[in-house]
């Protein structure tokens, strides 16, 4: 037993996972200078390329690093790119990221094998070149009682170094991720950072974008749609007079979208069938990227479900980008420059389509007929917390109570006022405001224009993002015709 109640713990152990094998890497170096991958260079040298997936499944040993506290249990696989393979909310048994119980690679990655599920951390491009390779790691126990695993590697193609540290605190129901990217060379280097959490989906699930998101772009901003209601043609599918594309069940074809703009610090997803979901929290000035990708709720999507898992079913990707709001946008590291950032992933419950969220609290406020309904969830224990709802500045609800990951407030008051007259706020016992939310009047804004088409030199056949992705996923990664922009 590695975990003690009231404390955080970190340890490593060997586990067995059912795994489909891969072929041997080609012994010859691949110089794929003209291949396009994820909208950027598809070159791989000096990394080896694997172009064969085996049909046989056997139990294979892996080193698993566990982080655990009273609320969460997290499993990290350093041998598979340092991904978070499983993250479970212990208070309700909910896997708030998609837990794929089998390692079943497909030829999706830059150098071949790629697996679905968990949280994949992608740099210096997408998908991560070493997503199916090992990273260095070390376990850390801090004096404040928090525990962490630090993972790092040097990118062999460009010479930059990346480090990410996953931390659990004894009394908090979130995973903290600190990233450090360092250019060890004397030349400017490009990079991107997109965390790629997979989320299990069904007819009851919904992607949760902030309330100020009214438009979404596809990759390269080549197409645009209103959100959450899409009208007309988007990703070659006609949504007619209007369909809610925040719902997985309503998207029949492979589709990606990234928010055009948001001043909020969160994005997530929710399963109304189990009353629980996932949120990503990060400063929107540093992390503007908020994205959903799906294979689609149709025959094509179900075929890819079978390609990537045996029994765990469909998923979507709710990706989060640092320093950019779209893919495949890159940013720069000057010679010997370092960039750092912090992001958080956490479960939440009971709050549905939340309207504001932080690392301390989650709020939902909805006006339904003559009532204002609201929910407050907290990531730690707040005794004598105060929840206040005002209507046109007048207090109509004021309650003091304990909030925690298991003590969630759901309540309502009679109100005939417009929702823009309402304001919900939560305070700790000292009167410090943890979070608030005041609905804003919905303004009809001009939907942004899509970006101009790429030049023939960059994209000679003018294939869109969808055909790019499908072309790449249909051929081995060593085929120079493979092209991809997603996800």
């Amino acid at each position: 037993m590695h975990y003690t109640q009231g404390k955080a713990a970190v340890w490593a152990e060997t586990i067995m996972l059912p795994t489909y094998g891969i072929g041997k890497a080609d012994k010859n170096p691949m110089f794929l200078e003209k291949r396009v991958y994820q909208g950027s260079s598809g070159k791989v040298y000096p990394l080896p390329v694997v172009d064969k997936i085996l049909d046989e499944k056997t139990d294979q040993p892996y080193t698993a690093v566990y982080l655990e506290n009273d609320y969460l249990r997290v499993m990290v696989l350093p041998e598979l790119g340092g991904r978070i393979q499983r993250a479970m909310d212990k208070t309700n048994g909910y896997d708030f990221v998609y837990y794929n119980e089998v390692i079943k690679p497909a030829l999706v990655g830059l150098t071949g094998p790629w697996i679905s599920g968990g949280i994949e951390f992608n740099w210096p491009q997408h998908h991560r070149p070493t997503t199916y390779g090992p990273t260095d790691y070390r376990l850390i126990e801090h004096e404040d009682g928090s525990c962490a695993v630090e993972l790092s590697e040097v990118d062999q193609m460009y010479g930059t170094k990346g480090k990410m540290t996953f931390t659990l605190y004894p009394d908090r129901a979130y995973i903290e991720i600190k990233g450090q990217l360092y250019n060890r060379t004397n030349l400017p280097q490009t990079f991107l950072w997109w965390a790629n959490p997979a989320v299990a989906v069904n007819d009851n699930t919904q992607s949760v974008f902030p309330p100020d998101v009214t438009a979404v772009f596809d990759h390269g901003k080549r197409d645009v749609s209103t959100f959450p209601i899409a009208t007309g043609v988007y990703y070659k599918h006609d949504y007619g007079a209007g369909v809610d594309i925040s719902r997985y069940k309503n998207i029949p074809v492979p589709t990606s979208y990234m928010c055009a703009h948001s001043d909020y610090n969160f994005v997530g997803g929710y399963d109304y069938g189990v009353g629980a979901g996932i949120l990503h929290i990060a400063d929107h000035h540093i992390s503007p990227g908020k994205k959903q990708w799906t294979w689609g709720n149709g025959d094509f999507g179900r075929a890819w479900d079978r390609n990537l898992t045996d029994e765990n079913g469909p998923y979507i990707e709710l990706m989060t980008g640092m320093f950019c709001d779209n893919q495949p946008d890159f940013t720069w590291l000057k010679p010997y420059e370092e960039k750092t950032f912090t992001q958080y992933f956490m479960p939440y419950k009971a709050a549905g389509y939340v309207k504001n969220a932080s690392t301390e609290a989650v709020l939902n406020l909805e006006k339904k007929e003559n009532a204002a309904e609201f929910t407050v969830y907290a990531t730690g224990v707040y005794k004598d917390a105060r929840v206040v709802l005002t209507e046109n500045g007048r207090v109509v609800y004021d309650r003091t109570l304990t909030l925690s990951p298991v003590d969630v407030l759901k309540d309502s008051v009679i109100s005939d006022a417009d929702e823009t007259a309402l304001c919900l706020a939560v305070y700790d016992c000292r009167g410090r405001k943890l979070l608030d939310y005041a609905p804003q009047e919905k303004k009809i804004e001009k939907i942004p224009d899509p970006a101009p088409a790429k030049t023939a030199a960059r994209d000679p056949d003018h294939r869109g993002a969808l055909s790019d992705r499908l072309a790449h996923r249909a051929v081995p990664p060593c085929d120079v015709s493979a092209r991809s922009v997603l996800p």
Side-chain angles (χ1 to χ4, degrees), residues 158-416:
Y158 303 104
T160 52
K161 181 176 181 177
K163 183 171 73 173
M164 52 189 182
T165 304
F166 307 150
T167 301
L168 280 194
Y169 294 89
D171 56 352
R172 292 289 166 180
Y174 56 64
I175 309 168
E176 178 189 81
I177 295 111
K178 287 188 176 292
Q180 292 176 263
L181 302 175
Y182 174 56
N183 182 3
R184 303 160 61 250
T185 76
N186 61 0
L187 297 173
Q189 302 290 352
T190 60
F191 80 94
L192 55 71
W193 178 282
W194 281 81
N196 184 13
V199 179
V201 288
N202 53 62
D203 286 350
N204 298 314
T205 53
Q206 185 174 27
S207 294
V208 177
F209 277 39
D212 61 345
V213 177
T214 58
V216 290
F217 282 118
D218 77 340
H219 288 250
K221 301 184 178 180
R222 292 180 294 183
D223 198 3
V224 63
S225 171
T226 51
F227 183 87
I229 306 301
T231 59
V233 177
Y234 185 66
Y235 264 77
K236 300 182 180 180
H237 180 76
D238 190 350
Y239 290 99
V243 173
D244 185 352
I245 59 171
S246 70
R247 295 276 192 167
Y248 160 77
K249 66 180 182 180
N250 293 335
I251 306 177
V253 298
T255 302
S256 186
Y257 54 74
M258 286 159 268
C259 75
H261 173 79
S262 179
D263 291 326
Y264 286 81
N265 298 328
F266 75 93
V267 67
Y270 193 77
D271 187 330
Y272 293 92
V274 297
I278 179 176
L279 288 170
H280 171 263
I281 309 293
D283 183 345
H284 70 276
H285 296 98
I286 299 172
S287 178
K290 298 173 174 66
K291 170 191 172 184
Q292 178 191 288
W293 155 261
T294 176
W295 290 106
N297 184 21
D299 291 341
F300 183 88
R302 283 184 278 276
W304 269 99
D305 295 338
R306 294 190 293 272
N307 284 344
L308 293 166
T309 189
D310 284 349
E311 299 178 357
N312 294 114
Y315 71 96
I316 61 171
E317 297 168 5
L318 285 173
M319 297 170 54
T320 62
M322 293 288 171
F323 307 109
C324 64
D325 64 353
N326 198 273
Q327 289 176 320
D329 291 358
F330 285 75
T331 189
W332 291 92
L333 280 171
K334 295 179 181 179
Y336 310 112
E337 181 185 8
E338 179 187 63
K339 289 187 183 294
T340 62
F341 53 87
T342 305
Q343 58 185 152
Y344 301 84
F345 287 98
M346 66 189 204
Y348 75 102
K349 56 179 70 72
Y353 200 106
V354 303
K355 304 305 187 298
N356 203 4
S358 72
T359 57
E360 294 185 295
V362 175
L363 303 180
N364 192 12
L365 173 62
E366 298 180 0
K367 185 69 194 307
K368 295 184 177 179
E369 296 181 352
N370 66 335
E373 300 180 358
F374 50 93
T375 307
V376 182
Y377 168 90
T379 62
V381 177
Y382 291 91
K383 295 182 179 179
D384 296 322
R386 184 183 174 207
V387 176
V388 178
L389 179 69
T390 60
E391 180 184 289
N392 291 315
R394 179 176 61 88
V395 175
V396 295
Y397 183 94
D398 191 339
R399 181 177 175 186
T400 299
L401 73 166
T402 295
L403 294 171
S404 78
V406 295
D407 300 300
V408 183
L409 172 66
K410 286 184 69 70
D411 214 334
S412 65
V413 297
I414 300 299
S415 175
D416 293 320

Side-chain angles (χ1 to χ4, degrees), residues 75-77 83-87 97-100 103 115 118:
M75 181 174 72
V76 180
L77 296 181
R83 69 193 299 118
I84 293 176
Q85 182 69 6
R86 186 177 192 183
V97 296
Y98 177 85
Y99 178 38
N100 196 345
I103 306 299
I115 58 174

Side-chain angles (χ1 to χ4, degrees), residues 12-268:
E13 64 181 65
T14 299
I15 62 171
M16 304 296 290
L17 292 175
T19 302
Y20 287 85
I22 62 173
K24 293 183 179 180
D26 196 310
K27 65 181 180 180
N28 299 308
M30 294 289 182
F31 299 99
L32 307 179
E33 301 298 324
K34 294 184 179 180
R35 183 178 68 152
V36 176
Y37 178 84
Q38 300 293 331
S40 58
S41 172
K43 65 181 181 180
V44 298
Y45 181 82
L47 298 175
V49 170
V50 173
D51 61 5
K52 186 176 182 180
I53 302 297
L54 306 182
D55 294 329
E56 297 179 359
K57 178 177 63 174
T58 59
D59 287 341
Q60 297 292 328
Y62 293 87
T63 296
V65 174
Y66 288 94
L67 291 161
E68 187 169 0
N69 64 12
D70 286 352
Y71 304 118
L72 306 182
R73 183 179 172 91
V74 180
M75 181 174 72
V76 180
L77 296 181
E79 293 166 277
L80 293 178
R83 69 193 299 118
I84 293 176
Q85 182 69 6
R86 186 177 192 183
M88 184 180 70
D89 182 346
K90 293 167 57 177
T91 68
N92 58 1
Y94 175 66
D95 282 299
F96 59 99
V97 296
Y98 177 85
Y99 178 38
N100 196 345
E101 297 174 82
V102 62
I103 306 299
K104 192 173 187 179
L107 294 178
V108 171
L110 179 69
T111 60
W114 177 88
I115 58 174
S116 66
I119 308 177
E120 176 193 29
F121 296 89
N122 297 293
W123 77 281
Q125 66 186 81
H126 195 86
H127 292 277
R128 183 179 184 152
T130 55
T131 188
Y132 206 74
T135 60
D136 294 330
Y137 74 94
R138 69 185 182 104
L139 311 184
I140 305 171
E141 296 181 356
H142 294 290
E143 291 183 358
D144 65 358
S146 63
C147 291
V149 54
E150 178 186 279
L151 304 111
S152 64
E153 68 174 346
V154 173
D155 177 64
Q156 298 300 308
M157 292 192 292
Y158 303 104
T160 52
K161 181 176 181 177
K163 183 171 73 173
M164 52 189 182
T165 304
F166 307 150
T167 301
L168 280 194
Y169 294 89
D171 56 352
R172 292 289 166 180
Y174 56 64
I175 309 168
E176 178 189 81
I177 295 111
K178 287 188 176 292
Q180 292 176 263
L181 302 175
Y182 174 56
N183 182 3
R184 303 160 61 250
T185 76
N186 61 0
L187 297 173
Q189 302 290 352
T190 60
F191 80 94
L192 55 71
W193 178 282
W194 281 81
N196 184 13
V199 179
V201 288
N202 53 62
D203 286 350
N204 298 314
T205 53
Q206 185 174 27
S207 294
V208 177
F209 277 39
D212 61 345
V213 177
T214 58
V216 290
F217 282 118
D218 77 340
H219 288 250
K221 301 184 178 180
R222 292 180 294 183
D223 198 3
V224 63
S225 171
T226 51
F227 183 87
I229 306 301
T231 59
V233 177
Y234 185 66
Y235 264 77
K236 300 182 180 180
H237 180 76
D238 190 350
Y239 290 99
V243 173
D244 185 352
I245 59 171
S246 70
R247 295 276 192 167
Y248 160 77
K249 66 180 182 180
N250 293 335
I251 306 177
V253 298
T255 302
S256 186
Y257 54 74
M258 286 159 268
C259 75
H261 173 79
S262 179
D263 291 326
Y264 286 81
N265 298 328
F266 75 93
V267 67

Side-chain angles (χ1 to χ4, degrees), residues 445-462:
E445 299 179 353
K446 181 181 181 297
I447 298 301
D449 294 324
K454 294 180 180 180
T455 63
R458 182 68 184 272
D459 191 10
D461 56 0
H462 295 283

